[in-house]
Amino acid sequence: EVQLVESGGGLVQPGGSLRLSCAASRFTFSAYSMTWVRQAPGKGLEWVSYISSSSTTKYYADSVKGRFTVSRDNANNSLYLQMNSLRAEDTAVYYCGRDSGTAGIDWGQGILVTVSS
Amino acid sequence: EIQMTQSPSSVSASVGDRVTITCRASQGISSWLVWYQQKPGKAPKLLISGASSLQSGVPSRFSGSGSGTDFTLTISSLQPEDFATYYCQQAHSFPRTFGQGTRVEIK
């Protein structure tokens, strides 16, 4: 069974930065695209970013474009999300996921990011 | 951007009831449609991919249908563990988009 474990969340002030990590195991990480999805408190799911298996293709939601950067380290089975210029509206649980296109997303357990002064 | 619209936003039902949730895409997405179940405080769980393919371990009372723009998730006989929020998601193009969710509540 796919295992994805997020880390790096916490409380950060508006305008600050945070780097989320996702440790992947129990599958061949380098063969899969990965994605980040977030969920604000009491709200629905919002797709954030996508990165292809070899990092050649990256996509971002308009709401984070220019502020967030997705990356991966296939040698260490790790996915990252660098979040800069954070705003209150970025407060959410962030999930990393293995993105298999029409076969769907396999999810981590999520990590809370709170942007507040 | 493809908009995904779910209906209803919530439904109250009893154990044993048949529940149907619909998801409409703003443009054709073939069968690039996925359904997830989410319980409070938990990550979403993949239920159905490719519009109609049940994931391993998901009970057969769940089924999905549709193609193009109109899709349906059906729970044939609602069980206590099925009370949750259900989301559709299009995997046809970027940005990936989700429906707003349908909350299935106990009547």
Side-chain angles (χ1 to χ4, degrees), chain B residues 1-56:
Chain B
E1 174 175 323
I2 298 174
Q3 307 296 327
M4 306 300 292
T5 304
Q6 281 182 240
S7 61
S9 56
S10 66
V11 57
S12 294
S14 300
V15 172
D17 284 353
R18 181 182 184 90
V19 173
T20 299
I21 299 168
T22 64
C23 180
R24 175 164 290 175
S26 60
Q27 64 188 74
I29 58 171
S30 185
S31 295
W32 293 74
L33 192 282
V34 185
W35 289 100
Y36 303 94
Q37 176 194 66
Q38 187 180 34
K39 296 182 178 179
K42 300 294 186 181
K45 173 187 173 183
L46 179 57
L47 289 181
I48 290 172
S49 62
S52 60
S53 297
L54 204 64
Q55 294 300 290
S56 175

Side-chain angles (χ1 to χ4, degrees), chain A residues 59-79:
Chain A
Y59 295 109
Y60 298 93
D62 285 346
S63 58
V64 307
K65 202 172 293 182
R67 301 187 299 122
F68 289 12
T69 302
V70 63
S71 62
R72 64 190 295 163
D73 179 350
N74 285 345
N76 289 299
N77 296 334
S78 294
L79 174 71

Side-chain angles (χ1 to χ4, degrees), chain A residues 46-101:
Chain A
E46 179 189 15
W47 173 82
V48 173
S49 184
Y50 164 97
I51 183 169
S52 63
S53 58
S54 59
S55 303
T56 52
T57 301
K58 300 178 184 180
Y59 295 109
Y60 298 93
D62 285 346
S63 58
V64 307
K65 202 172 293 182
R67 301 187 299 122
F68 289 12
T69 302
V70 63
S71 62
R72 64 190 295 163
D73 179 350
N74 285 345
N76 289 299
N77 296 334
S78 294
L79 174 71
Y80 305 101
L81 186 68
Q82 177 66 43
M83 303 186 295
N84 298 331
S85 303
L86 283 161
R87 306 166 180 166
E89 54 265 36
D90 295 318
T91 294
V93 173
Y94 285 73
Y95 296 99
C96 76
R98 186 180 76 170
D99 189 326
S100 300

Side-chain angles (χ1 to χ4, degrees), chain A residues 103-114:
Chain A
I105 298 170
D106 295 292
W107 304 73
Q109 87 284 355
I111 190 82
L112 178 62
V113 172
T114 303

